[in-house]
Amino acid sequence: MDEDSILGTGWNFPVSFDNLNHRTVMVSGIEDVKQSIYIILHTTPGERIMEPEFGCNLKQLVFENIDESLHSKLNHVVYHALLNYEPRVKFIGTEILEKVEAAGILHISIEFSLIITNTRHNLVFPFYFKEGTNI
């Protein structure tokens, strides 16, 4: 069995369509997992009417001072969101890679392992920490 069949297949995010076959573009394997994590982190609890607790409450961290306290809070919020809504991964930790003050962006590395294959992966998530940015 290959990793793609073990991890599943889902719609590409954002949803797009193949013009040749007139079908929804699908993703499989680790790309499906990473896109799922992005959806979880970008969704604020309460946005989905049928599943009001789904998501990650990163917006509560906007305007926080960028220090060890923020890093601890990031770990806590992301850990619980992935624990509750992405059963294919085990959260390892976050690391603040870069702060772009002018744009109001923190680049956060999220490290996780796939439970079924025990392989480590990471993705870089842009966290907008200033008012008027795109969180």
Side-chain angles (χ1 to χ4, degrees):
M1 255 185 162
D2 67 359
E3 189 176 276
D4 288 353
S5 65
I6 294 172
L7 295 174
T9 300
W11 286 13
N12 184 48
F13 181 77
V15 177
S16 56
F17 299 95
D18 180 359
N19 290 331
L20 296 175
N21 299 323
H22 304 290
R23 294 186 180 170
T24 307
V25 175
M26 306 295 278
V27 292
S28 298
I30 187 62
E31 187 59 31
D32 184 40
V33 173
K34 286 183 177 184
Q35 288 187 10
S36 174
I37 292 171
Y38 273 107
I39 291 168
I40 293 166
L41 296 179
H42 277 291
T43 304
T44 300
E47 282 184 29
R48 294 188 175 193
I49 294 171
M50 299 300 285
E51 202 167 342
E53 294 181 15
F54 178 83
C56 183
N57 205 359
L58 284 174
K59 284 188 180 180
Q60 73 182 2
L61 302 177
V62 172
F63 303 119
E64 291 278 332
N65 290 328
I66 301 169
D67 55 12
E68 282 303 311
S69 174
L70 174 65
H71 187 233
S72 175
K73 290 174 186 176
L74 272 172
N75 270 330
H76 177 78
V77 169
V78 173
Y79 167 76
H80 284 287
L82 296 184
L83 177 68
N84 291 326
Y85 300 110
E86 186 45 82
R88 298 174 288 185
V89 304
K90 178 183 174 194
F91 175 76
I92 297 171
T94 63
E95 180 183 346
I96 297 174
L97 298 177
E98 173 184 24
K99 174 179 144 183
V100 183
E101 186 74 37
I105 301 173
L106 283 181
H107 292 278
I108 303 166
S109 173
I110 300 170
E111 238 186 290
F112 61 93
S113 66
L114 294 173
I115 291 173
I116 197 99
T117 61
N118 201 28
T119 55
R120 291 179 74 139
H121 298 273
N122 75 324
L123 62 89
V124 176
F125 182 79
F127 174 62
Y128 299 91
F129 65 91
K130 283 189 175 177
E131 181 179 18
T133 55
N134 298 326
I135 189 166

